[in-house]
Amino acid sequence: MLEDIGFINVEISEPVDTFGGAGGESNARAFEVYGYAFLTFKPE
């Protein structure tokens, strides 16, 4: 999707557990929800 709108060199991180210790942690585990970091560039 990012490349479709013009971004280049798209890099996506490994999954990160962003819900550890949060109130919704059990729901996040049930649905395998993780956070991801994106690094990309958009040409001028």
Side-chain angles (χ1 to χ4, degrees):
M1 180 186 317
L2 293 171
E3 291 165 336
D4 290 344
I5 59 172
F7 286 97
I8 59 172
N9 300 338
V10 177
E11 295 182 35
I12 304 171
S13 74
E14 295 294 320
V16 177
D17 178 9
T18 57
F19 288 95
E25 181 177 4
S26 62
N27 290 331
R29 299 270 182 264
F31 292 99
E32 300 181 6
V33 176
Y34 296 96
Y36 295 86
F38 294 86
L39 175 64
T40 187
F41 299 92
K42 189 158 187 172
E44 293 183 36

